[in-house]
């Protein structure tokens, strides 16, 4: 299984493509927009240059990684020879269901279909295909080339053989795979998102300010970054989507998104990607805020 198709060239998709390509796999990176593909490859190149500058890879390894990646705007062409497809599109259930219906029709009957979803049911996604036993979750962490963890999520019908294959493949990528079962939020986000939501509630209730909340968690709990800063890096819209999935799945009010989070997303303040979230990432304020975040 040396041909891997990756759907989506955004932050997660290009990171997944980078990781597979650097591990010697041939990667078909697929997106509906050539501009998105160009940005994705540019990001991969930039990250490889960073590894090169730190002497973690050689120039030959950088070039070999880039040579292993081919881009496509046509899904059918991109997945034609894939033994594994990893979907890394936006965290939207309707979009993912459509993609998996299309993948089921476009790929060989033995092709494993994986999703990088961070919260949506693998069983629900698998149900729109004719091969639910071959559908599995591969939840990579961001930034993918650096973070070791991969949550391997079994759907209700995912076979033991497919699970073992993906666990072993993840190890071949230099990752540490952890098998979990299919419940909203899985493990990582079921624990992380309520913490982030509670930090937002703490701000919303006026208990403390942004810097103060993050400083308490960094210095008091030894977190590498505060929960509000982390939410900005994840994307506030992504945090909201995950909380909504868990709230809907468990029907438990403890997962209800904080009104402040809802309003910020409505206002387009999504974090790093929009230039403003709990912190200001605009050029005029970047140096000041970065200094505070990492103080």
């Amino acid at each position: 299984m040396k041909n891997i198709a990756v759907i989506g060239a955004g932050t997660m998709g290009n990171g997944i493509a980078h990781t597979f390509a650097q591990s010697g796999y041939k990667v078909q990176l697929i997106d509906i927009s050539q501009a998105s593909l160009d940005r994705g490859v540019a990001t991969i190149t930039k990250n490889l240059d960073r590894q090169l500058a730190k002497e973690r890879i050689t120039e030959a390894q950088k070039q070999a990684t880039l040579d292993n990646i081919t881009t496509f705007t046509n899904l059918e062409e991109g997945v034609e020879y894939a033994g594994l497809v990893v979907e890394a599109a936006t965290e939207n259930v309707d979009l993912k269901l459509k993609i998996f219906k299309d993948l089921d029709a476009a790929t060989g009957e033995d092709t494993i279909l994986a999703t990088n979803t961070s919260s949506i049911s693998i069983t629900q996604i698998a149900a729109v295909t004719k091969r639910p036993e071959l559908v599995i979750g591969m939840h990579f962490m961001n930034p993918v080339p650096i973070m070791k963890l991969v949550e391997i999520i079994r759907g209700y019908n995912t076979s033991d053989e497919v699970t073992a294959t993906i666990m072993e493949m993840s190890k071949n990528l230099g990752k540490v795979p952890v098998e979990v079962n299919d419940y909203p939020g899985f493990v990582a986000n079921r624990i992380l998102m309520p913490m982030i939501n509670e930090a937002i509630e703490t701000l919303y209730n006026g208990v403390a300010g942004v810097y103060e909340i993050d400083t308490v968690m960094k210095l008091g709990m030894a977190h590498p970054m505060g929960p509000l800063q982390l939410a900005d890096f994840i994307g506030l819209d992504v945090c909201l989507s995950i909380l909504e999935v868990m709230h809907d799945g468990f029907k438990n009010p403890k997962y209800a998104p904080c009104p402040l989070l809802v309003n910020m997303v409505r206002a387009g303040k999504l974090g790093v990607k929009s230039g403003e979230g709990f912190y200001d990432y605009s050029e005029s304020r970047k140096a000041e805020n970065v200094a505070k975040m990492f103080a």
Side-chain angles (χ1 to χ4, degrees):
M1 196 185 297
K2 279 293 182 180
N3 285 296
I4 311 297
V6 178
I7 311 294
T11 300
M12 296 304 295
N14 71 59
I16 293 168
H18 175 161
T19 300
F20 272 104
Q22 193 169 336
S23 297
Y25 294 89
K26 296 296 183 183
V27 177
Q28 295 81 52
L29 182 59
I30 305 163
D31 203 295
I32 58 173
S33 162
Q34 187 60 49
S36 295
L37 289 166
D38 292 343
R39 285 193 298 270
V41 172
T43 297
I44 293 169
T45 303
K46 180 180 177 180
N47 289 335
L48 287 167
D49 284 338
R50 188 177 291 115
Q51 290 178 296
L52 185 62
K54 293 179 179 179
E55 299 184 343
R56 292 175 179 169
I57 61 170
T58 65
E59 180 64 39
Q61 288 172 317
K62 170 192 167 182
Q63 194 55 53
T65 299
L66 292 172
D67 289 345
N68 279 338
I69 300 171
T70 308
T71 61
F72 294 85
T73 54
N74 183 286
L75 184 140
E76 288 78 10
E77 292 178 3
V79 303
E80 184 175 1
Y81 300 109
L84 167 69
V85 180
V86 182
E87 170 272 320
T90 304
E91 191 75 349
N92 177 289
V93 65
D94 292 332
L95 175 61
K96 290 186 186 294
L97 295 181
K98 181 183 184 307
I99 289 172
F100 271 77
K101 285 181 183 178
D102 293 342
L103 288 174
D104 195 41
T107 57
E109 62 182 16
D110 295 327
T111 300
I112 297 173
L113 305 180
T115 174
N116 183 58
T117 181
S118 54
S119 61
I120 298 169
S121 168
I122 308 304
T123 303
Q124 181 182 8
I125 292 171
V128 302
T129 75
K130 297 176 182 176
R131 64 183 88 184
E133 72 283 359
L134 299 181
V135 178
I136 195 166
M138 291 185 79
H139 181 208
F140 290 86
M141 304 294 122
N142 183 33
V144 181
I146 296 173
M147 298 294 279
K148 290 291 187 181
L149 176 66
V150 185
E151 275 189 305
I152 306 299
I153 306 104
R154 296 183 64 139
Y156 189 82
N157 291 301
T158 306
S159 73
D160 292 342
E161 181 181 0
V162 165
T163 303
T165 297
I166 297 303
M167 292 283 285
E168 189 61 31
M169 176 177 281
S170 299
K171 293 175 185 176
N172 292 340
L173 297 175
K175 303 300 184 185
V176 178
V178 176
E179 182 182 335
V180 305
N181 290 318
D182 186 20
Y183 291 95
F186 315 131
V187 171
N189 282 315
R190 183 168 179 173
I191 296 170
L192 175 64
M193 285 302 154
M195 184 193 73
I196 287 175
N197 198 45
E198 194 63 31
I200 300 171
E201 286 278 2
T202 303
L203 177 66
Y204 180 59
N205 292 329
V207 178
V210 171
Y211 302 120
E212 291 76 13
I213 292 168
D214 277 356
T215 298
V216 166
M217 296 306 291
K218 286 191 291 183
L219 301 185
M221 311 304 166
H223 291 194
M225 67 173 67
L228 300 177
Q229 180 191 358
L230 179 57
D232 274 355
F233 275 79
I234 294 170
L236 302 191
D237 53 337
V238 176
C239 293
L240 177 59
S241 175
I242 295 169
L243 284 164
E244 288 175 336
V245 167
M246 292 198 295
H247 187 224
D248 181 64
F250 290 117
K251 310 299 183 188
N252 189 324
K254 75 177 182 180
Y255 298 113
C258 176
L260 176 58
L261 175 61
V262 174
N263 278 342
M264 289 180 72
V265 172
R266 286 174 177 167
K269 298 182 187 299
L270 308 181
V272 174
K273 60 186 170 186
S274 71
E276 184 178 359
F278 293 105
Y279 293 86
D280 186 345
Y281 302 91
S282 62
E283 290 299 325
S284 61
R285 299 288 301 281
K286 188 179 292 184
E288 174 189 347
N289 280 293
V290 167
K292 287 181 179 178
M293 283 190 289
F294 293 97

